[in-house]
């Protein structure tokens, strides 16, 4: 690798010089209220990103998710991809950020869509998750250009929709259409807010399922003549609490999931409904139906098949010991865990860059949830993918969400150095 410290220093200086622009661009992105659901103002935000990419020397394409049911006239799903070719097409470093944000919710003391900058922080819904990350990606590439350096490869930046609702019209759609694929890109960095000294190498698996118990209606004054679906769901929940939850808590992954408590397998009960709606007029009836939705997060070491088999076995045990219990299990969503390969060049490049910019070693983490990494790995077929970006993970989706300006500038520098490194330019 040619050593060219002055080139790197020029790029870092260019990031510092661009700091006010990076902050302004983040604020401008926050002011487009891309709330999901339902997917507001996506096209406006895609254009804002696309216009800035074009101004920074990128060839820009817009990709609407034609054919996806959620792509409607009222709420079009428009993604944007910009490519800036250097001396060669490859290696290609692709930086992807989702521009949808979750609803503001209550508890704000500041306008969630004002893009307000105060005391070194940029506030607003999506400030850290992840409009700052998009701004960092754009200006990482731009700082290289302003430093007068032509890449020995390409840099590509995409702004995509719907990550917060699964990413099917966003990254998954671009990957299915071949726009994001191993044929075009070698490395993918997703600037999600993981803290500026942490590299995220994957996530746990997700299994959402619904359990329905079927009883038999009867008169509420003679419940012994009916079968209560709610009581049967109670028998299932009792086993979940007594048997399953302790077993899950006893399992620990070797993957560095944060926070520490998420290093174990977990289960959440998303919702439950059975019998008569509690706000309606009540009649004396035994509940003939009860449904509950569960969110099981499984570890890389567990795998989906075992996680599901364990649920099936629990239901069978409950039914065997509960007379007249009838139930059904239905899968709602399955996301398999992902993990960046050990020794991936994208990890090494970011480690070197973090060390250089922050003067301390990067740590590896994995996400307790899931993000677009899965689509990059499974559909696009690009294993060399990580998340690295500005902002504090714990602030995502919170009221008064913010991203620190210093974090934003530092993450931009790290991304710029990683682009130079991965394209083997410097
Ligand atoms: Zn995010």
């Amino acid at each position: 690798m040619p050593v060219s410290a002055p080139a790197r220093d020029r790029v870092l200086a260019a990031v510092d010089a661009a700091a006010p622009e990076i902050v302004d661009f983040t604020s401008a992105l926050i002011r487009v209220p891309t709330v999901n659901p339902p997917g507001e103002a996506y096209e406006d935000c895609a254009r804002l990103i696309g216009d800035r990419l074009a101004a920074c020397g990128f060839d820009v394409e817009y990709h609407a998710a034609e054919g996806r049911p959620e792509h409607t006239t009222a709420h079009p799903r428009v993604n944007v991809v910009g490519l800036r070719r250097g001396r060669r097409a490859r290696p290609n470093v692709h930086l992807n950020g989702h521009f949808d944000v979750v609803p503001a919710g209550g508890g704000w003391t500041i306008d969630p869509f004002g893009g307000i900058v105060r005391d070194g922080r940029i506030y607003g819904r999506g400030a850290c998750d992840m409009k700052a990350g998009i701004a960092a990606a754009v200006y990482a590439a731009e700082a290289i250009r302003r430093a007068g350096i032509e890449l020995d490869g390409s840099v590509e930046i995409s702004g995509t929709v719907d990550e917060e609702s699964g990413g099917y019209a966003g990254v998954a759609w671009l990957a299915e259409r071949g726009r994001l694929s191993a044929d075009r890109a070698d490395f993918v960095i997703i600037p999600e807010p993981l803290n500026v000294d942490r590299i995220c190498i994957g996530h746990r698996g997700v299994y959402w399922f619904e359990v329905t118990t079927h009883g038999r209606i009867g008169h509420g004054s003679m419940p012994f003549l009916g079968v209560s679906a709610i009581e049967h769901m109670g028998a299932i929940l009792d086993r979940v609490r007594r048997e399953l939850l302790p077993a899950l808590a006893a399992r620990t992954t070797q993957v560095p999931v944060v926070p520490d408590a998420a290093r174990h397998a977990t289960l959440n009960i998303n919702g439950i409904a059975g019998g008569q709606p509690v706000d309606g007029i009540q009649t004396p009836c035994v509940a003939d139906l009860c449904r509950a939705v569960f969110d099981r997060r499984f570890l890389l070491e567990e795998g989906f098949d075992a996680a599901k088999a364990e649920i099936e076995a629990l239901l069978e045990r409950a039914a065997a010991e509960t007379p007249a219990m009838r139930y059904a299990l239905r899968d709602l969503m399955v996301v398999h865990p992902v993990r960046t390969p050990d020794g991936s060049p994208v990890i090494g490049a970011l480690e070197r860059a973090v060390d250089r910019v922050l003067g301390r070693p990067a740590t590896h983490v994995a996400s307790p949830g899931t993000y677009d990494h899965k689509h990059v790995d499974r559909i696009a077929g690009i294993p060399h993918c990580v998340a690295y970006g500005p902002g504090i993970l714990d602030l995502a989706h919170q009221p008064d969400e913010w991203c620190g300006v210093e974090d934003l500038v530092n993450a931009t520098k790290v991304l710029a150095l990683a682009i130079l490194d991965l394209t083997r330019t410097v």
Side-chain angles (χ1 to χ4, degrees):
M1 188 185 296
V3 177
S4 179
R8 277 197 287 262
D9 291 342
R10 289 207 306 281
V11 170
L12 297 180
V15 173
D16 280 324
E21 281 177 72
I22 307 172
V23 172
D24 283 352
F25 186 48
T26 305
S27 290
L29 290 168
I30 292 167
R31 284 193 292 270
V32 186
T34 46
V35 175
N36 179 28
E40 300 284 358
Y42 280 177
E43 189 155 15
D44 292 346
C45 198
R47 299 276 165 200
L48 181 61
I49 296 166
D51 289 349
R52 186 62 55 106
L53 287 171
C56 296
F58 282 76
D59 296 325
V60 177
E61 302 164 10
Y62 295 92
H63 294 270
E66 304 292 348
R68 287 288 315 178
E70 61 274 44
H71 174 62
T72 61
T73 315
H75 298 110
R77 265 52 191 172
V78 180
N79 301 286
V80 58
V81 187
L83 170 66
R84 202 177 77 207
R85 250 195 82 139
R87 274 189 286 271
R88 281 183 279 275
R90 307 292 282 266
N92 176 306
V93 182
H94 187 111
L95 305 166
N96 163 260
H98 69 85
F99 58 74
D100 60 316
V101 300
V102 295
W108 287 76
T109 62
I110 206 163
D111 177 2
F113 300 106
I116 294 159
V117 183
R118 184 182 292 169
D119 301 329
R121 296 173 174 181
I122 311 164
Y123 285 90
R125 176 53 83 227
C128 78
D129 188 11
M130 58 172 289
K131 286 174 168 173
I134 293 173
V138 172
Y139 279 89
E142 177 63 359
I144 293 168
R145 191 172 78 128
R146 289 185 188 178
I149 297 166
E150 193 180 2
L151 293 176
D152 270 345
S154 305
V155 59
E156 203 161 43
I157 295 177
S158 57
T160 51
V161 302
D162 284 356
E163 188 275 343
E164 300 289 0
S165 52
Y168 300 104
V171 170
W173 196 87
L174 288 180
E176 283 162 5
R177 292 298 181 285
R179 183 59 192 83
L180 177 62
S181 79
D183 291 339
R184 288 170 174 256
D186 300 281
F187 308 107
V188 176
I189 301 172
I190 303 176
E192 288 272 12
L194 270 309
N195 302 13
V196 285
D197 55 358
R198 303 199 301 190
I199 300 165
C200 183
I201 56 165
H203 57 69
R204 300 190 299 177
V206 186
Y207 174 37
W208 282 9
F209 59 92
E210 180 188 280
V211 174
T212 305
T213 49
H214 296 274
R216 196 177 67 244
I217 197 164
H219 199 288
S221 69
M222 298 174 285
F224 42 83
L225 296 180
V227 174
S228 172
I230 295 175
E231 283 182 29
H232 287 177
M233 186 63 79
I236 293 168
L237 295 180
D238 188 44
R239 279 182 187 271
V240 166
R241 189 176 55 80
R242 283 188 295 112
E243 299 170 10
L244 185 60
L245 294 184
L248 300 186
R251 284 175 211 158
T252 307
T253 180
Q254 294 305 306
V255 180
V257 181
V258 288
D260 279 348
R263 219 160 276 197
H264 307 289
T266 57
L267 180 90
N268 180 55
I269 305 167
N270 281 10
I272 185 164
Q276 304 173 49
V278 293
D279 291 326
I281 294 169
Q282 299 299 307
T283 56
C285 287
V286 175
D288 61 349
L289 190 71
C290 186
R291 300 161 70 203
V293 173
F294 298 81
D295 176 354
R296 168 83 158 84
R297 301 296 169 123
F298 58 97
L299 310 176
L300 188 74
E301 294 87 345
E302 292 184 288
F304 169 66
D305 291 343
K308 179 173 178 176
E310 186 174 40
I311 300 297
E312 289 170 329
L314 180 143
L315 293 171
E316 277 169 29
R317 284 198 307 279
E321 293 179 14
T322 311
M325 178 187 283
R326 287 192 299 133
Y327 69 90
L329 170 66
R330 187 163 72 96
D331 297 350
L332 299 179
M333 183 173 77
V334 179
V335 176
H336 296 275
V338 291
R339 181 168 189 183
T340 316
D342 281 336
S344 170
V346 72
I347 297 175
L350 283 166
E351 281 176 340
R352 286 187 287 277
V354 166
D355 200 38
R356 189 180 174 91
V357 171
L358 299 174
R360 59 181 188 266
T363 53
H364 293 184
V365 296
S367 170
T370 170
Y371 56 100
D372 280 330
H373 190 158
K374 57 185 177 278
H375 301 312
V376 174
D377 184 66
R378 299 253 152 65
I379 308 175
I382 306 169
H384 301 295
C385 174
V386 296
Y388 170 83
I392 297 166
L393 178 62
D394 299 359
L395 297 176
H397 301 198
Q398 296 273 344
D400 288 348
E401 178 181 344
W402 55 270
C403 179
V405 171
E406 193 185 344
D407 267 17
L408 174 56
V409 171
N410 281 331
T412 306
K413 290 177 178 176
V414 170
L415 290 172
L417 295 186
I419 295 166
L420 292 175
D421 191 330
L422 289 167
T423 53
R424 299 194 280 274
T425 304
V426 174

